[in-house]
Amino acid sequence: MKKSFITLILFFCFWITAHSQEMIRLYENKAPGSEDCNYEEIEYPNAGSGKKMIRNVVDPTLEVYLPEKSLSTGIAVIVCPGGGNVWLSYQSEGTEVAEWLAKKGVAAFVLKYRLNKTPESEEGFNEFVASFFARMTTQITSESTADEETQTSEQTSLNTPNYAGDDGIKAVEYVREHASEYGIDPNKVGIIGFSAGAALTMNVISNSSPNNQPNFAGPIYGGSLNGHEVPENAPPLFILGAADDPIAAGGIDLYTSWREKGLSAELHMYSQGGHGFGMDQQGLPVDSWIDRFWDWLNVNINKK
């Protein structure tokens, strides 16, 4: 009986550390610019993996994953899933990343940012997806390199003022302002983003004031300067992608731009992996990409 009780307690402790503890709305009322967006957010499973996806987001949130106090490094990472600004790979590029980081002592905050509207019916959405990927394929095959901002330029106009980027900046502000509540060092608040989330990450870097600039950033298979200069207060970058993904090619230019300014940057380009792998396993070296991120984080941020 005593052994069973201890087992139950241990299981409960593991469950607490592996699951989110809080959901925070980024704005008290409707997000600025989205006051007239009254459609419903939709969750659905990924057609291949069955993992959680989200679309039609109008109410941005941060989902909090805190480590055990005994493991805490004081580091915070805002995690930005990708999905072409029309959906979020919320589990593979969001919550699974956050769970992994929390077990390493990192406070992780999954950002659910605003997206362009997609058809609300399943039939209409399926037609939209087919058209979306057809456009993506045409653009990728017609250009030697492609970046996420260019690929999404033909979508609806919600992000013309970059509401996703605004949500990213707001997220950095929130985490830093509430650092003491979460046991975080306010000088160790960073952001990592995948694909469109990488574009959001770079938008935050390019448009932040000194007060809301992240202390480090990780654009993963995506992101570019998009015409901006490297900011004088630009943070260290961890850049990662696969060589068989044309969208990730822009990471090489990011690395070069940072190094030309004498700034800290690390680049990992795997030979295989494709686009959008997140935490999915493919039986390839890229499967352990997050270990490389942790190595970089541990040396460059944790030990400072």
Side-chain angles (χ1 to χ4, degrees):
M1 181 71 177
K2 184 177 180 181
K3 184 177 180 181
S4 298
F5 178 75
I6 292 172
T7 301
L8 181 63
I9 291 295
L10 290 173
F11 174 80
F12 178 75
C13 290
F14 171 80
W15 187 91
I16 284 292
T17 58
H19 291 72
S20 65
Q21 292 96 346
E22 188 179 2
M23 188 75 77
I24 300 157
R25 295 183 67 228
L26 275 182
Y27 305 94
E28 184 176 350
N29 299 308
K30 285 198 170 183
S34 298
E35 292 86 355
D36 296 329
C37 298
N38 297 315
Y39 44 87
E40 294 294 320
E41 181 179 300
I42 298 171
E43 293 184 10
Y44 64 102
N46 180 285
S49 66
K51 293 183 179 181
K52 180 178 176 178
M53 308 282 286
I54 301 178
R55 59 189 178 95
N56 288 358
V57 176
V58 295
D59 187 13
T61 60
L62 284 172
E63 188 169 355
V64 184
Y65 289 75
L66 297 179
E68 291 183 29
K69 288 185 178 180
S70 61
L71 296 176
S72 179
T73 60
I75 299 172
V77 176
I78 297 162
V79 183
C80 307
N85 287 327
V86 288
W87 56 74
L88 297 178
S89 295
Y90 195 76
Q91 185 174 347
S92 176
E93 296 175 345
T95 57
E96 290 182 350
V97 176
E99 289 171 356
W100 194 98
L101 290 172
K103 291 174 185 176
K104 289 290 187 179
V106 176
F109 299 77
V110 182
L111 176 60
K112 184 175 69 177
Y113 55 89
R114 283 175 283 177
L115 302 171
N116 294 318
K117 187 178 184 297
T118 57
E120 296 180 59
S121 71
E122 184 175 355
E123 181 181 0
F125 179 63
N126 289 338
E127 292 176 359
F128 171 87
V129 170
S131 174
F132 176 83
F133 281 116
R135 293 198 309 273
M136 289 269 290
T137 301
T138 299
Q139 289 169 339
I140 290 173
T141 55
S142 64
E143 300 173 5
S144 57
T145 60
D147 63 52
E148 196 73 17
E149 292 88 353
T150 300
Q151 290 173 21
T152 58
S153 63
E154 294 181 7
Q155 296 162 17
T156 56
S157 60
L158 176 60
N159 278 336
T160 301
N162 197 316
Y163 294 146
D166 292 344
D167 297 342
I169 293 171
K170 182 74 172 177
V172 175
E173 290 176 349
Y174 178 88
V175 172
R176 187 167 283 137
E177 287 172 3
H178 293 80
S180 61
E181 299 171 28
Y182 296 113
I184 294 164
D185 183 337
N187 297 312
K188 293 184 178 180
V189 177
I191 185 168
I192 182 173
F194 302 79
S195 194
L200 183 159
T201 296
M202 296 310 301
N203 182 277
V204 169
I205 292 171
S206 297
N207 293 284
S208 289
S209 67
N211 291 334
N212 52 30
Q213 183 69 271
N215 299 109
F216 60 90
I220 309 298
Y221 47 76
S224 73
L225 283 167
N226 200 27
H228 292 277
E229 296 292 327
V230 178
E232 292 299 322
N233 62 336
L237 282 192
F238 175 88
I239 307 160
L240 185 139
D244 57 354
D245 171 19
I247 295 174
I252 299 171
D253 294 332
L254 277 180
Y255 174 81
T256 301
S257 298
W258 251 243
R259 296 304 300 147
E260 285 177 347
K261 290 281 189 178
L263 298 168
S264 175
E266 182 165 311
L267 172 66
H268 294 262
M269 193 63 70
Y270 290 85
S271 62
Q272 299 179 62
H275 187 73
F277 44 80
M279 295 295 282
D280 297 342
Q281 299 294 292
Q282 305 179 71
L284 295 170
V286 74
D287 292 349
S288 62
W289 72 266
I290 198 166
D291 292 292
R292 306 291 74 76
F293 177 60
W294 169 246
D295 291 341
W296 176 83
L297 201 61
N298 195 36
V299 169
N300 292 275
I301 308 301
N302 189 32
K303 293 184 177 178
K304 279 192 173 181

